Amino acid sequence: MLSRVANSLYWMARYIERSENIARIVDVNLQLLLDIRNVDEKRLTAYWLPIVQATGDEEAFFKAHPNATGKAVTEFLVFEMENPNSLLQSICQARENARMVRDQITLELWEELNRLYLFVRSPYAREVWRRSAGEFFQEIKSSSLHIIGIIEATLIRNEGWWFVRVGQLLERADKTTRILDVRYQSLPERGVPERISPDEALEWSAVLRSCSAWDAYKTIHGGDVHPLQVAEFLLLSDVFPRSVRYCVNELNLALRNISGVSAGRFTNDAEKLTGRFLAELQFSTIEEIFEVGLHRYLDEAQAKLNNVGAELFRAYIFQPFENPDEIHMVQQEEQQQQSDKIFKP
Amino acid sequence: MLNQYQVNSGFDEMADAQNQVRPHYQKFHKLFAELTEPEFQSKREAIDNAFLRQGVTFNVYGDAAGAEKIFPFDLLPRIIPAKEWEHLERGLTQRITALNLFLHDIYHEQRILKDGIIPEFYVLSAKHFRREFVGFNVPKDIYIHICGTDLIRDKDGNYLVLEDNGRCPSGVSYVLENRRAMKRAFPGMFEGIGVRPVEHYAQELLKSLKYIAPAGVADPTVVLLTPGAYNSAYFEHTYLARQMGIEIVEGRDLFVKDSRVFMRTTKGPQPVHVIYRRIDDDFIDPTVFRKDSMLGVPGLINAYRAGNVSLANSIGTGIADDKVVYYFVPRMIKYYLDQEPILNNVETYLASEEADKKYILENLEKLVVKAANESGGYGMLMGPKATKEEIEKFRKLIIAEPRNYIAQPMINLSQHPTNCDGNFEGRHVDLRPFVLSGERTSIIPGGLTRVALRKGSLVVNSSQGGGSKDTWVLYGDE
C-alpha cells in the first residue's frame, strides 16, 4: 500500500473519531448544566474551562475569546474554523483525507462522510443548532456511528483497514484519557477522595456519558458513581470498548496485523511502545494509579499514545530511500500534525 | 413536455427543419412523452443530489472556501444512430492513425517536412515540440494512447473536427457517471431504445496501458499519476484508478533510483512499469522540464529514456494540439495513409501565411481567432460577438505574432433540446469521443456531449457555463 494512502486512511479515521468525541463532550455538558442549581458566571467558567483544557487547545481558545463562557466554548469546539480541532474542522479534515484516498474506500463510506460534510457546512446545520443543540449533536453522533458501522461492514480487511483501525483506536484512547481528565481539579493531587458531593457525582456521571459509557458502567457498578470506579472503568476495563486498555489491546493487534509479527515480539518502535503500555495497563490497579495521581498518570498516558503515533509514521510512512525528495513526505505529515496546533487555510 | 419544442435556427439534433422528430429520436420521444413535468423535475433533482453526495464535482480554481461544483447535467440524451457512429468511428480511427504516424515521423526522419508537405518552420517552432526526444523510440510506436477529439456539426449536420486533444484529455468520467445516473433515472428506456453500453472503457484503457509495458515485464504495475487532490479533474483521476484497480499516485509517492521508478509503500519501494500520467509534460520532471514543478518526479525522464518505464501519453504529443499543426492533419492523412479524410477540419486560416493573414485582418469581426496553444475557451476572439476594443487587441496580437494565431469562420454548432427552467429550448452542443490506441484502436460508443447552457452561447466549456448530456449510440438507426 502507498505510504501516503496509509497516512490518509489513518488521519481520516482519527478525524472521524475526533468529531464524534467533541459532539459527545459538548452535548453531555450542555445537558448537565440543566441539572446544576445556582449557576453563576464564576461557576460557569469553572465548569467550561476544563473542557477546553481537555481538548489541549487552551492557548488557541484564549487567542480568540477573553472568557470561557458557555457560548464561547461551544462555538469554539463546534463551529470555529480557526480551531484546528473543532468539530467542523475535524469533519472537513476527515473528508479531505477521504477524498485523497477516494479510490481506496467504499462508495458507501464516501457518500456518508460527504453527506455529513455537506450537512455541517450548510446553513441548515446552523438552523438545527439554534433550534436544538441536542438535535444537532444527535445528527453528528448518529452519522459518525453510521460511518463506523460502514467501515466495519464494507471495508476490505487489507493493510489499509488496519491503518484505519490504528487511527480510530489511538484517537479513541486519547480522547478517553482527556475526557476522564476533565474533572481532575476536584480530586486531590494524589490518593482517593474521601467524600463526593451530589453535584460532583453528577459531574462524574457526565464523564461517563461523554464516553458513551453510562449504560456499560451501570451493568457493572450499578448506579453508584465514584471517581475511583469511573477511572478504573475508563482506564482498565478489559470489556468496555472505549476503555484505554481495551483500545491499546486492539491497537496492539492492529499493529501486528500490519507487520505480521507474532505476539511477544516487535519489529518497530510503535509495536514496542504499544506492547509495553499494554502490559502496564494489564498489570496495574486503579489504587496505584491514584497513588501516582490520576492527572499525572493521564498526562503520561497521552504522551505514550503520541509516541506510538510518531513511531508509526517513522516505520511506515516516512521511510528514507536516500532520495533528496523525501522532504515532501515530511512536509505532508507536518501539515497534518500542524493542524493540531495551527490552522492553515 | 417536448411537444412544444420548436427548432429555431441551424441544425437541430432531434428535429428536422420541418420540426419533425428524426427517426433515431422517435422511440425516446414517445417514452419521454409519458413523463409528467413533476416526475421529470424530481428525477432531475435526484440526479443533482446524487452527484453532489457522491462528490462528482470539479474544483473551482481560486476559490479559497474550496468550493466544489457539480458539472451541470441535462437529462435529455443526445442520440446518435448506428450508421452515423460507424462513420465517426472510421473517421476518428483514420485520424488517430495519421497523428501517431506523424508524431513518429517528426521525432525520427521528418519525412513529411523534407517532402515539403508541412513547412518545416511550423513544426520546429511549435511550443510543444520536444526536440530532445528526436530519435527516441516510444514503446510500440504509439504516441497518443488516449485522445479526446472535439467534434462539432455545421448547419448541414456534417461532423467536423475542432480539436484533437492529444495530451491529457479529460471528461471521460462524466461519460461513465452520466450514464449511470441516466440508467437509474430511466431504467426502462435503455432496453427499449437499444443503447450501446460504455462501461467497458476502464478495462479497454487498462488493456491499452498494459500493452505498452517495458519489454520483459510479464505482469506490469500500472499507476495513474495525478497532480493531486486540488486539481480540478481529481475526481476523474480517482474514478478511473478505482475502475481500473490501479494505484493513484502523486509525484511525491514516486522516486527514481538507477533509472527505475518506484513507489513508496508501507512495505518499502515497489517497482512501477507504466504511468498513465495526468500531468503535462512541463511539470512531469523538474530535472528536465520546469525546475519549479513540485508535482513531478525527479529523474522520471531518465527512466523513461532508459526504457524502464512507459508513459501514456508519450512526451511531446502536445505538438498535435497546436492549432497550426491541426491545419495540416488532412494533409497528413493523405501523405501517410493515401486516403481522403473521412472527417474534415473546420475551414482554417493561418495568420503566418500572407494571403490568409490579409483575409483574417480584413474580416476579424466575422471570424473566430484562436491562439495556437491555448485551450478551454481561453485566448480566443469571437469576432461577431466581440467589442471594437477586443478586435483591435487581437489585430495587434496577430500582427506581432502571426505564428501563434489561426482563424476560423464562426460555426453555428448544432442544437439540442435542453431543459431550461422547466422549458425545453435548443442549446448548442459539441461531442468529445475518447479514442484509445493500443493493440488496436478502440472508441467507446458515445462520448461527452457538452452543452452551452446560456442562450445563444457557443462556448461549451465547463469553466464558462457549460453542462453535459449523456450520449446514446444506438444499435440500430432508429
Side-chain angles (χ1 to χ4, degrees):
Chain A
M1 153 157 295
L2 281 180
S3 297
R4 177 179 54 82
V5 170
N7 198 37
S8 285
L9 288 170
Y10 166 84
W11 281 104
M12 173 191 77
R14 280 202 83 147
Y15 279 117
I16 292 168
E17 191 69 27
R18 192 170 293 177
S19 64
E20 190 203 329
N21 274 289
I22 298 167
R24 268 191 274 105
I25 296 176
V26 179
D27 187 28
V28 168
N29 283 289
L30 279 172
Q31 286 183 37
L32 176 64
L33 271 184
L34 304 176
D35 293 334
I36 297 180
R37 288 186 304 157
N38 306 328
V39 188
D40 57 34
E41 198 167 312
K42 205 169 146 216
R43 183 100 198 258
L44 269 179
T45 304
Y47 184 80
W48 284 109
L49 185 59
I51 292 166
V52 177
Q53 287 165 337
T55 60
D57 295 313
E58 197 180 350
E59 206 178 306
F61 177 81
F62 282 111
K63 255 189 209 145
H65 304 276
N67 293 312
T69 63
K71 190 161 184 292
V73 173
T74 50
E75 189 67 27
F76 177 76
L77 291 179
V78 178
F79 284 110
E80 263 175 33
M81 289 301 275
E82 290 73 21
N83 173 8
N85 294 312
S86 70
L87 185 143
L88 185 56
Q89 267 288 358
S90 297
I91 291 171
C92 291
Q93 295 287 345
R95 193 255 193 184
E96 196 57 36
N97 276 290
R99 208 162 92 83
M100 304 221 208
V101 293
R102 177 60 193 90
D103 58 317
Q104 301 282 331
I105 58 178
T106 55
L107 178 69
E108 287 86 350
L109 173 54
W110 168 248
E111 280 201 7
E112 181 56 25
L113 188 49
N114 199 38
R115 197 194 63 77
L116 177 61
Y117 165 84
L118 292 170
F119 167 72
V120 293
R121 299 257 308 193
S122 69
Y124 175 67
R126 276 283 185 178
E127 216 176 277
V128 176
W129 167 259
R130 269 194 297 273
R131 197 164 60 218
S132 151
E135 200 181 307
F136 175 83
F137 288 123
Q138 192 49 44
E139 178 74 34
I140 306 289
K141 285 187 291 183
S142 69
S143 181
S144 169
L145 290 172
H146 189 175
I147 289 168
I148 290 168
I150 292 171
I151 289 174
E152 178 68 31
T154 69
L155 285 200
I156 184 166
R157 266 35 172 193
N158 59 9
E159 209 185 340
W161 195 74
W162 293 110
F163 277 98
V164 168
R165 280 295 282 166
V166 168
Q168 273 180 344
L169 293 161
L170 268 179
E171 184 70 21
R172 199 172 289 169
D174 176 77
K175 282 290 169 292
T176 299
T177 65
R178 289 175 189 279
I179 293 169
L180 181 55
D181 206 20
V182 165
R183 294 292 151 220
Y184 82 90
Q185 272 161 339
S186 68
L187 296 175
E189 201 173 314
R190 283 154 171 256
V192 184
E194 310 245 313
R195 272 190 55 248
I196 300 291
S197 74
D199 273 2
E200 279 171 344
L202 270 181
E203 288 178 0
W204 283 100
S205 67
V207 166
L208 286 169
R209 273 201 294 267
S210 297
C211 295
S212 290
W214 178 238
D215 293 308
Y217 178 89
K218 274 193 303 183
T219 58
I220 296 194
H221 296 287
D224 190 20
V225 178
H226 188 281
L228 193 72
Q229 281 155 0
V230 173
E232 182 179 36
F233 190 72
L234 293 181
L235 278 175
L236 302 179
S237 167
D238 59 353
V239 287
F240 176 58
R242 310 191 76 87
S243 84
V244 176
R245 173 170 166 187
Y246 191 96
C247 290
V248 173
N249 189 38
E250 292 284 308
L251 175 65
N252 190 40
L253 291 175
L255 289 173
R256 279 165 204 295
N257 269 297
I258 293 172
S259 66
V261 172
S262 58
R265 298 170 182 280
F266 63 88
T267 49
N268 58 51
D269 279 5
E271 289 168 343
K272 182 181 82 181
L273 295 175
T274 306
R276 209 179 269 175
F277 189 28
L278 177 62
E280 184 197 306
L281 289 161
Q282 283 169 335
F283 298 101
S284 297
T285 66
I286 196 66
E287 286 80 10
E288 286 166 344
I289 289 172
F290 271 74
E291 213 37 59
V292 177
L294 181 64
H295 179 59
R296 192 171 136 203
Y297 185 84
L298 292 173
D299 257 3
E300 282 167 9
Q302 283 156 20
K304 283 173 191 158
L305 293 168
N306 277 345
N307 288 339
V308 171
E311 290 305 332
L312 183 83
F313 177 67
R314 281 225 329 210
Y316 294 109
I317 314 301
F318 172 65
Q319 300 152 309
F321 297 136
E322 295 166 47
N323 186 306
D325 227 36
E326 58 202 17
I327 195 93
H328 279 327
M329 290 301 297
V330 183
Q331 275 174 350
Q332 190 200 6
E333 182 61 12
E334 279 170 351
Q335 279 171 19
Q336 299 270 19
Q337 304 275 25
Q338 285 289 317
S339 62
D340 276 328
K341 291 274 170 272
I342 310 159
F343 169 63
K344 285 193 179 146
Chain B
M1 281 176 287
L2 267 174
N3 290 336
Q4 283 118 42
Y5 181 69
Q6 283 290 330
V7 175
N8 42 16
S9 70
F11 186 86
D12 189 274
E13 296 285 340
M14 185 182 81
D16 63 20
Q18 284 72 47
N19 223 14
Q20 294 300 305
V21 176
R22 295 180 195 277
H24 55 283
Y25 273 87
Q26 275 173 5
K27 279 187 196 156
F28 170 77
H29 195 265
K30 200 160 150 262
L31 288 169
F32 193 78
E34 293 166 14
L35 215 62
T36 66
E37 200 184 327
E39 278 170 348
F40 175 78
Q41 293 303 346
S42 84
K43 281 180 194 297
R44 194 180 60 78
E45 277 165 30
I47 287 183
D48 280 358
N49 285 337
F51 280 151
L52 195 61
R53 203 173 61 235
Q54 291 163 16
V56 186
T57 52
F58 64 92
N59 297 6
V60 183
Y61 283 119
D63 188 319
E68 289 165 30
K69 284 199 171 150
I70 58 169
F71 190 15
F73 176 62
D74 186 76
L75 264 61
L76 261 57
R78 189 245 192 93
I79 302 176
I80 301 174
K83 209 167 25 180
E84 224 168 87
W85 179 251
E86 277 157 28
H87 167 76
L88 290 179
E89 223 171 19
R90 273 186 292 122
L92 291 166
T93 305
Q94 179 194 53
R95 197 165 170 108
I96 193 68
T97 309
L99 281 170
N100 272 320
L101 289 169
F102 164 74
L103 286 163
H104 182 269
D105 186 20
I106 57 157
Y107 286 113
H108 289 82
E109 301 87 10
Q110 304 187 338
R111 284 187 298 127
I112 199 165
L113 308 183
K114 286 173 191 147
D115 289 348
I117 310 297
I118 302 177
E120 205 174 60
F121 157 76
Y122 285 129
V123 170
L124 301 184
S125 67
K127 185 176 164 197
H128 296 291
F129 178 63
R130 304 283 177 200
R131 62 198 71 245
E132 54 276 54
F133 280 90
V134 171
F136 175 70
N137 291 318
V138 302
K140 306 281 199 282
D141 287 338
I142 303 170
Y143 284 80
I144 303 177
H145 309 83
I146 302 106
C147 190
T149 310
D150 284 343
L151 300 173
I152 57 171
R153 297 180 87 171
D154 65 12
K155 61 179 184 344
D156 304 315
N158 298 312
Y159 285 95
L160 301 171
V161 177
L162 190 65
E163 284 179 17
D164 289 293
N165 295 311
R167 279 173 288 178
C168 302
S170 62
V172 74
S173 60
Y174 295 106
V175 175
L176 304 171
E177 278 292 312
N178 288 354
R179 176 60 57 87
R180 267 172 47 134
M182 287 296 275
K183 276 177 149 177
R184 248 174 297 166
F186 303 105
M189 282 197 186
F190 284 83
E191 217 178 314
I193 294 175
V195 182
R196 291 179 62 183
V198 295
E199 282 79 6
H200 54 291
Y201 177 78
Q203 287 92 299
E204 289 290 326
L205 175 58
L206 186 58
K207 229 191 285 170
S208 310
L209 293 170
K210 284 190 167 167
Y211 180 64
I212 56 163
V217 181
D219 188 15
T221 300
V222 182
V223 299
L224 186 153
L225 177 61
T226 174
Y230 297 100
N231 184 265
S232 61
Y234 184 69
F235 162 74
E236 172 156 316
H237 303 161
T238 59
Y239 185 90
L240 289 174
R242 200 166 68 246
Q243 297 286 320
M244 288 190 278
I246 63 172
E247 298 279 6
I248 175 167
V249 300
E250 295 180 15
R252 60 188 177 179
D253 295 326
L254 301 179
F255 71 98
V256 179
K257 199 170 176 185
D258 303 332
S259 298
R260 285 173 196 279
V261 180
F262 297 90
M263 54 183 172
R264 300 163 190 274
T265 79
T266 52
K267 303 256 189 277
Q270 300 283 327
V272 169
H273 306 106
V274 181
I275 300 177
Y276 174 28
R277 48 99 172 207
R278 297 292 298 257
I279 296 183
D280 285 338
D281 288 1
D282 278 341
F283 292 93
I284 206 162
D285 182 346
T287 63
V288 178
F289 302 117
R290 277 178 62 160
K291 307 276 175 279
D292 58 340
S293 169
M294 297 292 283
L295 305 172
V297 184
L300 179 61
I301 292 303
N302 236 339
Y304 178 55
R305 281 183 169 283
N308 292 328
V309 70
S310 306
L311 296 177
N313 291 345
S314 301
I315 302 287
T317 58
I319 183 160
D321 286 356
D322 188 309
K323 293 191 173 63
V324 173
V325 174
Y326 155 91
Y327 173 91
F328 294 100
V329 176
R331 292 198 201 173
M332 293 173 199
I333 293 171
K334 279 189 204 129
Y335 181 75
Y336 295 114
L337 304 175
D338 196 21
Q339 293 171 359
E340 288 301 316
I342 299 167
L343 292 171
N344 284 313
N345 273 4
V346 175
E347 191 183 358
T348 301
Y349 304 93
L350 300 181
S352 42
E353 299 286 319
E354 272 316 313
D356 280 12
K357 180 158 86 182
K358 184 160 174 283
Y359 176 80
I360 294 171
L361 293 175
E362 281 168 8
N363 294 281
L364 274 176
E365 63 287 346
K366 286 189 214 146
L367 295 169
V368 178
V369 180
K370 294 175 178 173
N373 285 299
E374 300 274 352
S375 61
Y378 296 102
M380 208 165 95
L381 173 80
M382 297 275 244
K385 302 194 172 179
T387 63
K388 278 228 156 55
E389 288 76 40
E390 284 168 330
I391 288 178
E392 289 317 306
K393 188 182 125 201
F394 266 81
R395 187 185 304 281
K396 286 200 191 95
L397 287 170
I398 293 166
I399 292 168
E401 266 189 294
R403 163 65 181 87
N404 249 337
Y405 291 91
I406 61 145
Q408 292 169 338
M410 185 95 163
I411 304 277
N412 202 19
L413 310 184
S414 61
Q415 300 204 22
H416 196 290
T418 300
N419 174 36
C420 305
D421 299 321
N423 295 319
F424 292 100
E425 293 174 20
R427 289 291 184 269
H428 294 294
V429 293
D430 78 347
L431 175 65
R432 176 179 288 185
F434 291 87
V435 185
L436 296 175
S437 310
E439 200 165 359
R440 56 186 190 90
T441 303
S442 81
I443 308 170
I444 46 163
L448 183 64
T449 292
R450 295 185 296 178
V451 51
L453 294 172
R454 286 186 211 133
K455 196 179 176 88
S457 168
L458 291 166
V459 186
V460 295
N461 301 87
S462 56
S463 52
Q464 302 187 32
S468 75
K469 288 170 167 292
D470 194 11
T471 309
W472 292 1
V473 172
L474 303 185
Y475 282 108
D477 286 323
E478 48 189 74

